[in-house]
Amino acid sequence: MMGFPHTLHLLIIFSVLIVSASSSTLTTTHPGQILNLPILSFDEGYSHLFGDDNLLILRDGRAVHLSLDAKTGSGFVSQDLYLHGFFSASIKLPSDYTAGVVVAFYMSNGDIFEKNHDELDFEFLGNIRGKEWRIQTNVYGNGSSSSGREERYSLWFDPSEDYHQYSILWTHHHIIFYVDNVAIREVLRTESMGGEYPSKPMSLYATIWDGSTWATNGGRYKVNYKYAPYTAKFSELILHGCAVDPIEQSSSPQCDTNKLDKLSLSKAQRVEMAKFRTKHITYSYCYDRVRYPLPLPECTIDPSEAERLRGFDPVTFGGGRRHHHRHGKRGRSTGGSRIISSSSTTTTI
């Protein structure tokens, strides 16, 4: 017969498992699930940007393939401009040798505001065979490209093996980047940022292009077109925000983002984000003492992140002396006006 202490022990374990499962459910929820947002077909929300036949629409518009070959890259863009909202896509990246390949899922108004544009980026940077894709996020406000706010991360999965969800929440108060249902970065709107917090209407873009000059180990490894075409696959496209008239630059009076404005990260989600960053962050502008001897005013220094980054590069992230410093490079997309800058330091692969 089972004794009472043993029974009590099993009950405690069972209770812990239930609480853990509940916490997991809580922390793996993003705004698209909370608000039950609809998935749009391509024709409902997007237009072909460039790339001719390198853009392929499948499954009655529910999936889009973007390819890069020796002739051109490709891309699509939202039909509307948006002032705040939630934007998401499920993406499967190319596999095998992908050095120099850049896949971008981002928001921008650079075609309208050439000198003071805003931008929110997910950038996926390819690699040589056997090395991982890297993911980069960036935030520009009011043409602040001279003050890059890049961060780079490794991932806990191979993004070329299956689809994974990448999402951007942009409100009056903050910007959150999600991978699957995990918040990986939050940018708070602070008084110190001033006009460098993105505040003008933007379009949503998805592109694939040749970033050989900078994307992989500072341009050391370039796109090899014998492995082309490189194909990035997109599905589960979500566009939810205030559509803006491109001429009047104002949204409809009926537009309501109150539900989005009220969304915030729970304590459990913040713990999960901190765990991700401690384990996976490989570059952050806030810790780069070569570029910014004093951190930009919105930066909050986390000791665990600082320690991890100093392990990668004690000079860049510790403020030591560099003997041979190489500046980062810029790349331009094929067939479009997209400009993306890398960090000013070279990250080894």
Side-chain angles (χ1 to χ4, degrees):
M1 182 174 178
M2 186 179 292
F4 175 76
H6 186 64
T7 304
L8 180 61
H9 182 66
L10 289 176
L11 287 173
I12 291 172
I13 292 174
F14 185 67
S15 299
V16 170
L17 288 173
I18 291 175
V19 172
S20 299
S22 299
S23 299
S24 176
T25 300
L26 175 65
T27 59
T28 56
T29 303
H30 67 47
Q33 296 167 318
I34 295 172
L35 302 177
N36 194 28
L37 299 178
I39 295 172
L40 297 182
S41 69
F42 185 85
D43 290 339
E44 287 177 307
Y46 305 89
S47 298
H48 193 154
L49 180 62
F50 73 99
D52 301 323
D53 295 335
N54 281 10
L55 184 150
L56 184 63
I57 301 172
L58 304 167
R59 289 169 29 201
D60 296 325
R62 300 290 173 175
V64 184
H65 290 184
L66 297 180
S67 294
L68 166 69
D69 57 25
K71 183 178 67 173
T72 182
S74 55
F76 60 86
V77 60
S78 62
Q79 294 172 8
D80 292 316
L81 290 161
Y82 293 89
L83 183 60
H84 307 123
F86 180 76
F87 311 91
S88 184
S90 187
I91 306 172
K92 183 179 180 182
L93 298 175
S95 60
D96 200 17
Y97 181 98
T98 55
V101 177
V102 178
V103 176
F105 179 71
Y106 66 102
M107 304 196 71
S108 178
N109 50 32
D111 57 337
I112 300 174
F113 303 100
E114 294 184 6
K115 296 183 178 180
N116 62 335
H117 84 289
D118 303 306
E119 193 168 316
L120 301 173
D121 296 337
F122 265 117
E123 296 161 351
F124 306 93
L125 310 178
N127 221 324
I128 62 175
R129 185 182 287 115
K131 298 291 186 177
E132 300 173 344
W133 277 85
R134 288 162 302 149
I135 181 174
Q136 176 167 296
T137 62
N138 212 335
V139 175
Y140 296 121
N142 203 33
S144 60
S145 56
S146 61
S147 300
R149 290 177 165 88
E150 308 101 312
E151 289 192 346
R152 284 187 183 179
Y153 327 87
S154 61
L155 293 170
W156 65 95
F157 55 83
D158 182 346
S160 68
E161 287 186 348
D162 204 352
Y163 286 87
H164 290 270
Q165 202 79 20
Y166 304 91
S167 310
I168 300 170
L169 173 67
W170 171 39
T171 76
H172 293 279
H173 313 297
H174 63 176
I175 299 157
I176 302 176
F177 294 88
Y178 296 86
V179 175
D180 286 333
N181 301 327
V182 178
I184 66 167
R185 180 183 184 182
E186 181 181 32
V187 179
L188 296 173
R189 184 172 195 167
T190 63
E191 185 176 342
S192 60
M193 286 187 75
E196 294 189 2
Y197 184 88
S199 57
K200 298 186 292 296
M202 293 189 276
S203 300
L204 180 74
Y205 294 83
T207 59
I208 184 170
W209 54 283
D210 186 331
S212 290
T213 58
W214 68 273
T216 306
N217 208 21
R220 179 180 178 186
Y221 299 102
K222 305 183 185 303
V223 174
N224 188 334
Y225 285 104
K226 79 176 185 179
Y227 298 106
Y230 298 96
T231 301
K233 301 177 181 179
F234 292 75
S235 66
E236 298 183 17
L237 301 168
I238 295 176
L239 279 175
H240 179 77
C242 281
V244 170
D245 185 293
I247 298 177
E248 297 182 2
Q249 296 292 307
S250 60
S251 57
S252 165
Q254 286 77 37
C255 186
D256 182 11
T257 59
N258 285 336
K259 291 182 179 179
L260 288 176
D261 290 338
K262 293 177 181 177
L263 291 174
S264 62
L265 295 176
S266 68
K267 182 178 179 180
Q269 287 173 313
R270 291 192 180 281
V271 168
E272 193 169 26
M273 180 169 69
K275 288 180 179 178
F276 167 84
R277 294 177 64 82
T278 298
K279 187 174 182 180
H280 293 284
I281 193 166
T282 61
Y283 176 86
S284 173
Y285 74 101
C286 282
Y287 302 91
D288 188 335
R289 294 297 166 264
V290 175
R291 295 175 70 191
Y292 305 113
L294 293 176
L296 293 183
E298 75 273 6
C299 289
T300 300
I301 302 303
D302 182 294
S304 61
E305 292 180 17
E307 183 179 358
R308 171 178 168 79
L309 291 172
R310 278 195 296 271
F312 279 106
D313 187 341
V315 175
T316 297
F317 301 116
R321 186 176 179 182
R322 181 181 297 275
H323 297 288
H324 299 288
H325 176 63
R326 290 189 295 171
H327 290 281
K329 309 235 180 133
R330 291 178 181 264
R332 185 175 296 271
S333 63
T334 303
S337 59
R338 171 100 170 105
I339 299 177
I340 300 177
S341 63
S342 69
S343 68
S344 65
T345 58
T346 300
T347 303
T348 57
I349 57 174

Tab-separated table of all heavy atoms in Angstrom, residues 268-298:
chain	number	residue	atom	x	y	z
A	268	ALA	N	6.075	36.873	-16.336
A	268	ALA	CA	6.604	35.611	-16.857
A	268	ALA	C	7.222	35.799	-18.237
A	268	ALA	O	8.258	35.197	-18.552
A	268	ALA	CB	5.489	34.566	-16.913
A	269	GLN	N	6.606	36.631	-19.084
A	269	GLN	CA	7.163	36.893	-20.413
A	269	GLN	C	8.492	37.632	-20.325
A	269	GLN	O	9.406	37.384	-21.117
A	269	GLN	CB	6.161	37.683	-21.252
A	269	GLN	CG	4.975	36.858	-21.721
A	269	GLN	CD	3.917	37.713	-22.403
A	269	GLN	OE1	3.534	38.766	-21.884
A	269	GLN	NE2	3.457	37.268	-23.555
A	270	ARG	N	8.603	38.540	-19.362
A	270	ARG	CA	9.862	39.258	-19.178
A	270	ARG	C	10.974	38.322	-18.701
A	270	ARG	O	12.133	38.462	-19.108
A	270	ARG	CB	9.676	40.410	-18.190
A	270	ARG	CG	8.803	41.527	-18.754
A	270	ARG	CD	8.842	42.785	-17.932
A	270	ARG	NE	7.998	43.795	-18.534
A	270	ARG	CZ	8.338	44.542	-19.585
A	270	ARG	NH1	9.538	44.378	-20.127
A	270	ARG	NH2	7.510	45.433	-20.077
A	271	VAL	N	10.617	37.386	-17.853
A	271	VAL	CA	11.600	36.394	-17.414
A	271	VAL	C	12.065	35.576	-18.607
A	271	VAL	O	13.268	35.318	-18.783
A	271	VAL	CB	10.998	35.481	-16.329
A	271	VAL	CG1	11.899	34.273	-16.073
A	271	VAL	CG2	10.776	36.260	-15.032
A	272	GLU	N	11.122	35.182	-19.461
A	272	GLU	CA	11.470	34.390	-20.637
A	272	GLU	C	12.338	35.185	-21.602
A	272	GLU	O	13.294	34.657	-22.177
A	272	GLU	CB	10.196	33.918	-21.328
A	272	GLU	CG	10.415	32.854	-22.374
A	272	GLU	CD	9.118	32.234	-22.839
A	272	GLU	OE1	8.071	32.904	-22.757
A	272	GLU	OE2	9.158	31.085	-23.292
A	273	MET	N	12.025	36.478	-21.781
A	273	MET	CA	12.831	37.329	-22.653
A	273	MET	C	14.244	37.469	-22.097
A	273	MET	O	15.224	37.410	-22.848
A	273	MET	CB	12.178	38.705	-22.800
A	273	MET	CG	12.951	39.665	-23.699
A	273	MET	SD	12.034	41.172	-24.125
A	273	MET	CE	11.979	41.990	-22.522
A	274	ALA	N	14.359	37.649	-20.781
A	274	ALA	CA	15.680	37.777	-20.164
A	274	ALA	C	16.498	36.501	-20.360
A	274	ALA	O	17.712	36.564	-20.629
A	274	ALA	CB	15.524	38.092	-18.680
A	275	LYS	N	15.863	35.346	-20.248
A	275	LYS	CA	16.562	34.081	-20.460
A	275	LYS	C	17.051	33.968	-21.898
A	275	LYS	O	18.184	33.541	-22.155
A	275	LYS	CB	15.641	32.909	-20.129
A	275	LYS	CG	15.373	32.719	-18.649
A	275	LYS	CD	14.442	31.528	-18.423
A	275	LYS	CE	14.177	31.313	-16.944
A	275	LYS	NZ	13.223	30.179	-16.726
A	276	PHE	N	16.192	34.359	-22.845
A	276	PHE	CA	16.598	34.320	-24.250
A	276	PHE	C	17.807	35.211	-24.481
A	276	PHE	O	18.797	34.802	-25.103
A	276	PHE	CB	15.451	34.759	-25.161
A	276	PHE	CG	15.902	35.037	-26.575
A	276	PHE	CD1	16.014	34.003	-27.496
A	276	PHE	CD2	16.254	36.322	-26.975
A	276	PHE	CE1	16.461	34.235	-28.793
A	276	PHE	CE2	16.712	36.572	-28.267
A	276	PHE	CZ	16.809	35.527	-29.165
A	277	ARG	N	17.747	36.429	-23.976
A	277	ARG	CA	18.803	37.395	-24.248
A	277	ARG	C	20.121	36.971	-23.594
A	277	ARG	O	21.188	37.104	-24.189
A	277	ARG	CB	18.364	38.782	-23.772
A	277	ARG	CG	17.180	39.325	-24.574
A	277	ARG	CD	16.709	40.670	-24.038
A	277	ARG	NE	17.728	41.682	-24.189
A	277	ARG	CZ	17.961	42.371	-25.309
A	277	ARG	NH1	17.234	42.133	-26.387
A	277	ARG	NH2	18.908	43.282	-25.357
A	278	THR	N	20.044	36.457	-22.380
A	278	THR	CA	21.257	36.016	-21.700
A	278	THR	C	21.938	34.885	-22.465
A	278	THR	O	23.164	34.816	-22.536
A	278	THR	CB	20.914	35.547	-20.276
A	278	THR	OG1	20.365	36.642	-19.536
A	278	THR	CG2	22.162	35.037	-19.561
A	279	LYS	N	21.136	34.025	-23.083
A	279	LYS	CA	21.682	32.851	-23.755
A	279	LYS	C	22.025	33.094	-25.221
A	279	LYS	O	22.973	32.493	-25.753
A	279	LYS	CB	20.694	31.691	-23.650
A	279	LYS	CG	21.224	30.366	-24.175
A	279	LYS	CD	20.249	29.232	-23.912
A	279	LYS	CE	20.805	27.900	-24.398
A	279	LYS	NZ	19.866	26.777	-24.146
A	280	HIS	N	21.275	33.984	-25.904
A	280	HIS	CA	21.376	34.044	-27.364
A	280	HIS	C	21.876	35.356	-27.946
A	280	HIS	O	22.170	35.418	-29.135
A	280	HIS	CB	20.004	33.719	-27.981
A	280	HIS	CG	19.557	32.321	-27.756
A	280	HIS	ND1	20.073	31.252	-28.457
A	280	HIS	CD2	18.648	31.793	-26.891
A	280	HIS	CE1	19.495	30.140	-28.060
A	280	HIS	NE2	18.636	30.425	-27.101
A	281	ILE	N	21.948	36.432	-27.177
A	281	ILE	CA	22.372	37.707	-27.771
A	281	ILE	C	23.859	37.642	-28.108
A	281	ILE	O	24.667	37.124	-27.341
A	281	ILE	CB	22.057	38.889	-26.829
A	281	ILE	CG1	22.194	40.216	-27.586
A	281	ILE	CG2	22.932	38.868	-25.584
A	281	ILE	CD1	21.578	41.399	-26.844
A	282	THR	N	24.214	38.135	-29.306
A	282	THR	CA	25.618	38.139	-29.744
A	282	THR	C	26.129	39.537	-30.066
A	282	THR	O	27.334	39.727	-30.235
A	282	THR	CB	25.807	37.241	-30.983
A	282	THR	OG1	24.988	37.742	-32.063
A	282	THR	CG2	25.428	35.794	-30.681
A	283	TYR	N	25.228	40.519	-30.176
A	283	TYR	CA	25.642	41.913	-30.376
A	283	TYR	C	24.506	42.826	-29.920
A	283	TYR	O	23.332	42.544	-30.163
A	283	TYR	CB	25.968	42.224	-31.843
A	283	TYR	CG	26.307	43.692	-32.040
A	283	TYR	CD1	27.604	44.147	-31.834
A	283	TYR	CD2	25.320	44.613	-32.348
A	283	TYR	CE1	27.911	45.505	-31.936
A	283	TYR	CE2	25.616	45.966	-32.463
A	283	TYR	CZ	26.905	46.411	-32.252
A	283	TYR	OH	27.190	47.744	-32.333
A	284	SER	N	24.858	43.909	-29.253
A	284	SER	CA	23.885	44.958	-28.931
A	284	SER	C	24.585	46.297	-28.918
A	284	SER	O	25.660	46.441	-28.309
A	284	SER	CB	23.217	44.718	-27.577
A	284	SER	OG	22.401	45.835	-27.224
A	285	TYR	N	23.998	47.262	-29.565
A	285	TYR	CA	24.573	48.601	-29.641
A	285	TYR	C	24.758	49.210	-28.251
A	285	TYR	O	25.656	50.028	-28.030
A	285	TYR	CB	23.684	49.510	-30.503
A	285	TYR	CG	22.396	49.941	-29.824
A	285	TYR	CD1	22.266	51.201	-29.253
A	285	TYR	CD2	21.299	49.086	-29.747
A	285	TYR	CE1	21.104	51.603	-28.630
A	285	TYR	CE2	20.137	49.466	-29.136
A	285	TYR	CZ	20.031	50.722	-28.572
A	285	TYR	OH	18.862	51.097	-27.945
A	286	CYS	N	23.929	48.818	-27.300
A	286	CYS	CA	24.007	49.405	-25.962
A	286	CYS	C	25.315	49.072	-25.254
A	286	CYS	O	25.727	49.773	-24.324
A	286	CYS	CB	22.836	48.923	-25.110
A	286	CYS	SG	21.268	49.761	-25.464
A	287	TYR	N	25.981	47.984	-25.686
A	287	TYR	CA	27.202	47.547	-25.027
A	287	TYR	C	28.445	47.791	-25.878
A	287	TYR	O	29.553	47.442	-25.455
A	287	TYR	CB	27.093	46.054	-24.691
A	287	TYR	CG	25.909	45.724	-23.815
A	287	TYR	CD1	24.676	45.382	-24.381
A	287	TYR	CD2	26.002	45.769	-22.428
A	287	TYR	CE1	23.585	45.094	-23.586
A	287	TYR	CE2	24.912	45.471	-21.630
A	287	TYR	CZ	23.702	45.146	-22.204
A	287	TYR	OH	22.620	44.863	-21.404
A	288	ASP	N	28.286	48.373	-27.047
A	288	ASP	CA	29.393	48.577	-27.981
A	288	ASP	C	30.154	49.847	-27.592
A	288	ASP	O	29.742	50.960	-27.930
A	288	ASP	CB	28.851	48.678	-29.407
A	288	ASP	CG	29.956	48.686	-30.450
A	288	ASP	OD1	31.095	49.076	-30.121
A	288	ASP	OD2	29.682	48.306	-31.602
A	289	ARG	N	31.288	49.678	-26.900
A	289	ARG	CA	32.037	50.836	-26.421
A	289	ARG	C	32.944	51.424	-27.496
A	289	ARG	O	33.523	52.498	-27.293
A	289	ARG	CB	32.858	50.428	-25.193
A	289	ARG	CG	31.989	50.051	-24.002
A	289	ARG	CD	31.152	51.247	-23.533
A	289	ARG	NE	30.100	50.836	-22.631
A	289	ARG	CZ	28.844	50.597	-23.006
A	289	ARG	NH1	28.497	50.739	-24.275
A	289	ARG	NH2	27.937	50.245	-22.120
A	290	VAL	N	33.093	50.738	-28.627
A	290	VAL	CA	33.854	51.307	-29.740
A	290	VAL	C	32.995	52.341	-30.460
A	290	VAL	O	33.437	53.455	-30.743
A	290	VAL	CB	34.304	50.202	-30.718
A	290	VAL	CG1	34.986	50.806	-31.942
A	290	VAL	CG2	35.250	49.234	-30.013
A	291	ARG	N	31.765	51.985	-30.733
A	291	ARG	CA	30.860	52.927	-31.415
A	291	ARG	C	30.352	53.995	-30.464
A	291	ARG	O	30.262	55.173	-30.816
A	291	ARG	CB	29.660	52.174	-31.997
A	291	ARG	CG	29.988	51.192	-33.085
A	291	ARG	CD	28.753	50.418	-33.508
A	291	ARG	NE	27.791	51.227	-34.209
A	291	ARG	CZ	26.552	50.844	-34.493
A	291	ARG	NH1	26.136	49.658	-34.107
A	291	ARG	NH2	25.742	51.622	-35.155
A	292	TYR	N	29.970	53.575	-29.274
A	292	TYR	CA	29.352	54.487	-28.317
A	292	TYR	C	30.091	54.399	-26.979
A	292	TYR	O	29.733	53.585	-26.123
A	292	TYR	CB	27.877	54.138	-28.110
A	292	TYR	CG	27.073	54.087	-29.384
A	292	TYR	CD1	26.547	52.889	-29.861
A	292	TYR	CD2	26.841	55.248	-30.128
A	292	TYR	CE1	25.808	52.844	-31.032
A	292	TYR	CE2	26.112	55.210	-31.303
A	292	TYR	CZ	25.596	53.995	-31.748
A	292	TYR	OH	24.865	53.951	-32.914
A	293	PRO	N	31.140	55.210	-26.777
A	293	PRO	CA	31.842	55.206	-25.485
A	293	PRO	C	30.881	55.406	-24.318
A	293	PRO	O	31.078	54.840	-23.243
A	293	PRO	CB	32.819	56.378	-25.618
A	293	PRO	CG	33.061	56.488	-27.099
A	293	PRO	CD	31.750	56.146	-27.745
A	294	LEU	N	29.837	56.206	-24.546
A	294	LEU	CA	28.741	56.326	-23.591
A	294	LEU	C	27.491	55.753	-24.250
A	294	LEU	O	27.158	56.120	-25.380
A	294	LEU	CB	28.501	57.794	-23.215
A	294	LEU	CG	29.627	58.484	-22.423
A	294	LEU	CD1	29.283	59.948	-22.209
A	294	LEU	CD2	29.847	57.788	-21.079
A	295	PRO	N	26.779	54.848	-23.586
A	295	PRO	CA	25.580	54.252	-24.191
A	295	PRO	C	24.556	55.324	-24.549
A	295	PRO	O	24.484	56.382	-23.901
A	295	PRO	CB	25.047	53.329	-23.080
A	295	PRO	CG	26.206	53.089	-22.180
A	295	PRO	CD	27.043	54.331	-22.240
A	296	LEU	N	23.778	55.057	-25.603
A	296	LEU	CA	22.691	55.968	-25.943
A	296	LEU	C	21.733	56.056	-24.765
A	296	LEU	O	21.595	55.106	-23.976
A	296	LEU	CB	21.972	55.473	-27.201
A	296	LEU	CG	22.801	55.513	-28.496
A	296	LEU	CD1	21.964	55.080	-29.693
A	296	LEU	CD2	23.390	56.888	-28.749
A	297	PRO	N	21.044	57.176	-24.601
A	297	PRO	CA	20.319	57.450	-23.348
A	297	PRO	C	19.225	56.459	-22.992
A	297	PRO	O	18.902	56.297	-21.820
A	297	PRO	CB	19.734	58.854	-23.577
A	297	PRO	CG	19.797	59.078	-25.053
A	297	PRO	CD	20.980	58.326	-25.534
A	298	GLU	N	18.662	55.760	-23.992
A	298	GLU	CA	17.577	54.823	-23.671
A	298	GLU	C	18.072	53.467	-23.194
A	298	GLU	O	17.288	52.613	-22.772
A	298	GLU	CB	16.668	54.613	-24.891
A	298	GLU	CG	17.237	53.740	-25.987
A	298	GLU	CD	18.088	54.484	-26.990
A	298	GLU	OE1	18.349	55.689	-26.774
A	298	GLU	OE2	18.486	53.869	-27.997
